[in-house]
Amino acid sequence: MTQAVLHRWLRRLTVAAATAALGLTAAVVTVSPARAEIDVYSAPGQYFVNGRDWRTTCEPYSQTQRCRTEIWATQVTQVKGKFVSKTGWYFNNLSYLPSPRSLWKNNPLGAYGKVNGTAKWKSTDGRQWRTVCDTAATGRNGCRSYASARVIETYTTSGGATAYRWVTKELFNNIVRFGALPVFKNVNMNTTVSLKYFDVTVSSPVYEPDGTGFGAMVKVCYTHAHPDAGSDGKVRVSLDPWSFGVLDLEAGATDLAYFEASAVPSSTLWTPLYKETRLALGTCNTGYISAHHGNPDLSTGFTLRYAPSGSADRITWYAPS
């Protein structure tokens, strides 16, 4: 799905266009954090999160997965001695999804699997690399790796003008996460998936008669005590982990684009809506997650994806086309 398609659909949803905040960046785009509720770094698809467009692809890596995240941005490069800018998809970072530390005992990207580990090395292309783990910046059970690179940066001349120059600096490159192997599932709607702390069910899809909206009943049941539960034993559940995947047939798109369920207007046809609440162990939250997009030519089907923050679990429910 192209940027024009993404922004057209977002305009129909009365969401602000993503391009307003774009500006010139260095040759290697500065890493941009996505909002925490949807982890764009660990789920394949295209997303509009925190006012920016993101695209992630994942592939098997050992016993887990490695995901490459790109961001839609404008970068500056040097062509025939001139600095020129170009807007497109650019590398943001790699993410290695949770796996046991033991799998990294021979790999410096995971600091050889050591708690509070560090590593430094020189790659075959001559770049200097370093990894740090279990710090305030990485969080517990995580590592970050940085590599030196030649990039273009902006600076202000003595006369007050903006100019560009090449510099060598250290750039963030990738994340390694330690932990239990995540759950990845693609299932049909009307299916319950049991996760570590929750049972999650998505019912049959529903559609507005004129084709301008869709939704599904969702049920999230708190089944096992969560370590982040409050002093009252309750845990927060909300729309935050949920996103819609849609295919813009009007534009001839072939790839799903994902949008935060909390960022789009809900249909008024189905109640109750799924809302934020706090669940006690053994209780459930039920309601419709829906979108009123106003475009009858948008899609004949959709997906709902559940990707909770703090976990690399990724469950996608598919509606029939």
Side-chain angles (χ1 to χ4, degrees), residues 89-123:
W89 288 111
Y90 293 105
F91 175 79
N92 195 76
N93 70 284
L94 295 174
S95 298
Y96 296 84
L97 303 191
S99 60
R101 287 182 188 266
S102 58
L103 296 182
W104 295 89
K105 63 181 180 181
N106 297 316
N107 194 325
L109 292 177
Y112 308 107
K114 297 179 180 178
V115 177
N116 301 318
T118 61
K120 290 185 178 181
W121 72 99
K122 188 175 183 179
S123 59

Side-chain angles (χ1 to χ4, degrees), residues 10 15-16 31-43 47-54 56 69 71 92-93 144 175 177 236 238-244 258-264 276 307-311:
L10 287 169
V15 178
V31 171
S32 298
R35 208 172 78 190
E37 289 85 344
I38 289 184
D39 187 355
V40 300
Y41 306 128
S42 66
Y47 302 87
F48 181 76
V49 175
N50 201 26
R52 303 297 300 272
D53 292 304
W54 307 78
T56 298
T69 299
I71 190 168
N92 195 76
N93 70 284
R144 291 192 175 208
I175 301 168
R177 298 172 179 172
R236 174 182 174 268
S238 71
L239 279 177
D240 293 346
W242 293 93
S243 58
F244 289 109
Y258 282 86
F259 300 89
E260 299 168 280
S262 60
V264 300
E276 178 176 333
S309 177
S311 166

Side-chain angles (χ1 to χ4, degrees), residues 63-103:
Q63 296 180 37
T64 185
Q65 290 193 349
R66 175 174 60 193
C67 298
R68 175 188 174 92
T69 299
E70 298 173 320
I71 190 168
W72 185 262
T74 300
Q75 78 163 14
V76 176
T77 58
Q78 192 169 22
V79 180
K80 295 181 180 181
K82 295 183 178 181
F83 292 105
V84 297
S85 61
K86 183 179 179 181
T87 300
W89 288 111
Y90 293 105
F91 175 79
N92 195 76
N93 70 284
L94 295 174
S95 298
Y96 296 84
L97 303 191
S99 60
R101 287 182 188 266
S102 58
L103 296 182

Side-chain angles (χ1 to χ4, degrees), residues 9 12-13 206-215 246-250 267 269-270 291-302:
W9 195 61
R12 286 172 179 146
L13 294 169
V206 289
Y207 298 93
E208 294 189 10
D210 61 357
T212 58
F214 49 67
V246 295
L247 191 65
D248 194 328
L249 300 179
E250 184 181 44
S267 172
L269 291 187
W270 310 296
H292 178 74
H293 51 77
N295 177 14
D297 299 318
L298 177 66
S299 177
T300 58
F302 67 98

Side-chain angles (χ1 to χ4, degrees), residues 215-253:
M217 176 70 79
V218 168
K219 184 178 182 180
V220 177
C221 297
Y222 183 26
T223 57
H224 295 87
H226 196 289
D228 293 334
S231 58
D232 58 359
K234 293 182 178 181
V235 67
R236 174 182 174 268
V237 294
S238 71
L239 279 177
D240 293 346
W242 293 93
S243 58
F244 289 109
V246 295
L247 191 65
D248 194 328
L249 300 179
E250 184 181 44

